[in-house]
Amino acid sequence: MRNVTLEQIFVHPITQKYLSRSGIAHAIAVAEYAYMFSKEFDVNPDLAAKAALLHDIGHYTWYRDGEWDYDLYKENDIHAIKGASRAHKLLIRIGEDRQSAKEIAVAVLLHTDSYLPKGELELKPLQQVVAMADEADEENGGKHHYKTIEGSDALKRIRALDAQIDLDLHKEMSWIREVR
């Protein structure tokens, strides 16, 4: 049993405020990719989908002369740092398990290396899955942030992902009971 569902996260006003800045369609697509990759890399699908849904919650809109300036954004971006903090606070507020909230927040923090100094960083599997999912939906010039989706379609996809995760967790619990 999960403490918090993707739907509970998605419909929260804080999530809606910040995902509308960074692209709801992108966030949902990345959550779907993360779910698929989680199966391949034996990562908890619930944590992967949650981290992926929230991965861009820290975005700030960079404008110059009234126009979005992708170069200004790339030069000054720290959205993963801000996003990790927002994600953690939101998840704790709505009742997520504290350890899970921390794992999700760290995956949000490390989904990109755009703000990090040069060098190698060894990511844990959950962090790798979220980074790969983000890359899978990425488009040149940040265009993935401008994809659109109807609200009802967004909620349908979130609910479908929740249902799949619940099914997977139910199967896993059944298997554990059989082994005992």
Side-chain angles (χ1 to χ4, degrees):
M1 185 72 181
R2 300 184 291 160
N3 288 4
V4 175
T5 64
L6 286 171
E7 182 175 356
Q8 288 172 293
I9 295 168
F10 180 72
V11 300
H12 195 282
I14 290 171
T15 308
Q16 287 296 304
K17 175 183 178 179
Y18 292 111
L19 288 190
S20 65
R21 287 183 182 178
S22 61
I24 291 173
H26 171 60
I28 292 170
V30 174
E32 292 167 337
Y33 279 120
Y35 170 78
M36 290 185 288
F37 292 147
S38 74
K39 311 293 271 170
E40 187 177 334
F41 292 94
D42 197 27
V43 167
N44 181 316
D46 183 47
L47 299 183
K50 287 173 179 173
L53 181 67
L54 295 172
H55 81 283
D56 278 345
I57 200 169
H59 263 289
Y60 177 83
T61 49
W62 294 95
Y63 287 92
R64 184 179 296 169
D65 301 324
E67 296 287 322
W68 169 256
D69 189 324
Y70 185 70
D71 293 329
L72 186 64
Y73 150 72
K74 289 302 280 180
E75 183 180 319
N76 298 289
D77 177 49
I78 59 164
H79 80 276
I81 297 168
K82 188 78 170 169
S85 176
R86 281 184 186 147
H88 189 261
K89 185 176 180 179
L90 169 68
L91 291 166
I92 295 296
R93 180 180 290 168
I94 62 177
E96 184 61 85
D97 169 76
R98 292 182 184 279
Q99 183 60 40
S100 295
K102 180 181 177 181
E103 287 182 58
I104 292 165
V106 172
V108 169
L109 176 67
L110 297 175
H111 83 273
T112 180
D113 61 2
S114 65
Y115 61 93
L116 294 172
K118 299 284 185 236
E120 292 295 315
L121 184 64
E122 194 169 320
L123 299 179
K124 293 181 178 178
L126 173 62
Q127 298 155 3
Q128 290 174 330
V129 162
V130 175
M132 289 180 345
D134 187 30
E135 289 171 11
D137 194 57
E138 203 169 273
E139 295 178 21
N140 287 335
K143 290 186 175 104
H144 52 283
H145 293 292
Y146 298 100
K147 294 190 298 187
T148 59
I149 187 171
E150 291 294 322
S152 60
D153 291 337
L155 196 51
K156 246 185 250 178
R157 287 170 62 182
I158 288 292
R159 286 176 175 157
L161 200 46
D162 264 335
Q164 191 59 55
I165 291 167
D166 284 340
L167 182 63
D168 290 349
L169 294 176
H170 177 74
K171 286 178 185 174
E172 186 175 316
M173 292 306 293
S174 295
W175 181 82
I176 289 170
R177 277 188 232 114
E178 286 178 19
V179 172
R180 288 183 186 176

